[in-house]
Amino acid sequence: EGPDVGKTVRIDGTQPSRLLVGQGPACDIRLTDRRVSRRHAALDLAGSRVRVVDLGSTNGTFIDGVAVVDAFLRGGETLRLGSTAIRVEPVESARVPALSARTSFGKTVGASAAMRRLYPLCERLAASDVTLVIEGETGTGKEVLAESLHEEGPRRDGPFVVFDCTAVAPNLVESELFGHEKGAFTGAISVHRGVFEQAHGGTLFIDEIGDLDLALQAKLLRVLQRSEVRRVGGDRNIPVDVRVLAATRRNLDQAVQAGRFRDDLFFRLAVARIELPALRDRHGDIEVLANHFWSRLGGAATGLPYETARRFDDHGWPGNVRELHNAVARLIALGNLAPEATAGSGQPNASGRDAFDAVLALDLPLAQARARVVDAFERRYLEHVLNRHGGNVRRAAEASGIARRYFQILRARAKDAG
């Protein structure tokens, strides 16, 4: 029932991510019903049931007349979005294609069904040159996936440049993106190449694209359309050959609907889309990732303590993969001094014990003492891994199992701490 009557969609659990339903260009099931939101709801297979999640729609999602936010369907129900009624029916189970056998893609690690569904799409996107939006909660690994796509693709020998829209002062964003000429404004004492020029021949990853100011969105769209930039204060256009990958924790369709994000820019960016699942939805991956981080961060050869692995598995991980990585790093640094959620049976080595004793002698509050030990561990770890790789930041970051940008942030923080 509705303007799109007759349309049929099959859900078999092999789609790269949940299916979005709405009017927006990023939706897998795109409806023409004007009472349906741009991104109205999401559908996914959960065992033998279909999970329906309303995505903050204007007119709501209803199952057999009952408004729902998150619900499961067994078949036989009627799902109503706006003026559209969708009949949900179980079908005879044909042979479902096997999931990818991969347990990682580049630096992105995961053996869960949720991740293995993504890998075939990742392989195709790595080989292409299209713009791409990576969606997901904070800490799900969007930057690591972007770097993996770069390193598995034809631009792997070119630069991989990261620009975080939330990490630069608003008055400097335009200059950082597009560059500036000497004298363009107060403080512009020399020519500055923006991130597009820096990424020439490679990939530019724009993180938190949803936070970019509307005025700059128009300029970014022009660069994407023309493949050329003009520096602030400049009078000529500079050709650039860059693949752009963007990421956001926001629902960009809602931002478009609210007038906070340009529809034409979203359409230009979202040629392809990947939604990274939250760690809580990656069943079995917590232990896989914890052991991966334990090995990469130099944990004891005996492996991650069993009791710690069990506690990790019971934790909700609201900070996702980043929170898990930090928990493992704390455990390696602090041993039994780590917070209970990450404590294990492993003991720090003698030199670590000396460092602990020095901090304990200061009689600091727990939070401050813990921070001192973690900072000391990070400084020593960075020195060790950089020495092991001859000072090469890229190889050191790869060996550490973290993105280059995060490695450089840690390095800068260690230098400041001195």
Side-chain angles (χ1 to χ4, degrees), residues 45-372:
L45 200 63
S48 60
R49 301 180 297 172
V50 175
R51 184 181 182 186
V52 182
V53 179
D54 182 87
L55 300 176
S57 65
T58 301
N59 294 319
T61 299
F62 298 83
I63 297 174
D64 291 339
V66 178
V68 299
V69 174
D70 190 342
F72 291 88
L73 309 177
R74 293 189 178 278
E77 301 91 347
T78 298
L79 176 65
R80 183 171 289 278
L81 318 173
S83 303
T84 298
I86 302 171
R87 185 69 177 170
V88 179
E89 298 286 359
V91 294
E92 285 299 322
S93 135
R95 186 176 179 275
V96 177
L99 295 174
S100 170
R102 298 183 72 141
T103 57
S104 64
F105 176 78
K107 295 176 182 174
T108 301
V109 175
S112 63
M115 293 302 292
R116 288 163 57 209
R117 286 164 57 179
L118 281 178
Y119 293 148
L121 176 61
C122 292
E123 291 168 3
R124 291 195 297 273
L125 290 174
S128 76
D129 214 34
V130 298
T131 53
L132 164 69
V133 173
I134 304 173
E135 299 178 354
E137 295 178 8
T138 298
T140 48
K142 297 184 289 292
E143 183 179 334
V144 174
L145 177 60
E147 192 168 358
S148 299
L149 290 167
H150 168 76
E151 293 182 348
E152 296 289 317
R155 291 178 177 264
R156 64 178 66 87
D157 295 327
F160 177 76
V161 178
V162 176
F163 179 77
D164 187 341
C165 296
T166 64
V168 178
N171 61 319
L172 296 177
V173 171
E174 184 176 6
S175 170
E176 289 300 312
L177 274 172
F178 311 124
H180 65 249
E181 298 290 355
K182 182 178 179 180
F185 50 84
T186 303
I189 59 175
S190 61
V191 172
H192 172 68
R193 295 165 63 242
V195 290
F196 273 93
E197 288 184 72
Q198 295 171 35
H200 183 71
T203 302
L204 173 61
F205 174 62
I206 305 178
D207 201 6
E208 297 303 351
I209 187 77
D211 290 84
L212 190 64
D213 182 75
L214 269 171
L216 290 178
Q217 290 177 26
K219 296 183 178 182
L220 175 60
L221 176 63
R222 183 179 180 86
V223 172
L224 294 175
Q225 289 173 332
R226 294 177 173 266
S227 295
E228 57 186 25
V229 296
R230 178 175 291 190
R231 296 172 183 159
V232 177
D235 57 3
R236 65 187 181 93
N237 294 330
I238 302 169
V240 287
D241 171 25
V242 175
R243 183 187 187 185
V244 174
L245 307 179
T248 181
R249 69 190 186 285
R250 301 184 184 277
N251 181 332
L252 288 184
D253 278 303
Q254 284 185 352
V256 169
Q257 209 158 358
R260 297 190 302 271
F261 201 83
R262 291 179 63 107
D263 191 18
D264 47 5
L265 176 59
F266 179 67
F267 193 81
R268 181 67 181 80
L269 287 169
V271 175
R273 168 187 165 273
I274 287 182
E275 183 179 11
L276 274 175
L279 185 53
R280 62 183 173 274
D281 295 325
R282 294 173 55 175
H283 304 298
D285 272 352
I286 293 173
E287 185 174 355
V288 170
L289 285 164
N291 280 299
H292 171 72
F293 294 143
W294 180 269
S295 174
R296 299 298 287 270
L297 294 173
T302 51
L304 185 71
Y306 171 78
E307 284 301 315
T308 301
R310 184 178 59 79
R311 278 193 294 271
F312 278 177
D313 212 37
D314 291 337
H315 187 55
W317 301 109
N320 291 295
V321 178
R322 182 183 297 136
E323 182 187 356
L324 176 59
H325 176 277
N326 292 343
V328 174
R330 279 198 304 272
L331 177 61
I332 293 171
L334 303 178
N336 286 339
L337 295 181
E340 185 176 339
T342 62
S345 59
Q347 296 287 340
N349 59 29
S351 59
R353 175 59 65 192
D354 292 341
F356 293 164
D357 290 340
V359 172
L360 291 173
L362 298 174
D363 290 327
L364 297 170
L366 174 62
Q368 293 180 29
R370 181 189 301 146
R372 291 275 188 112

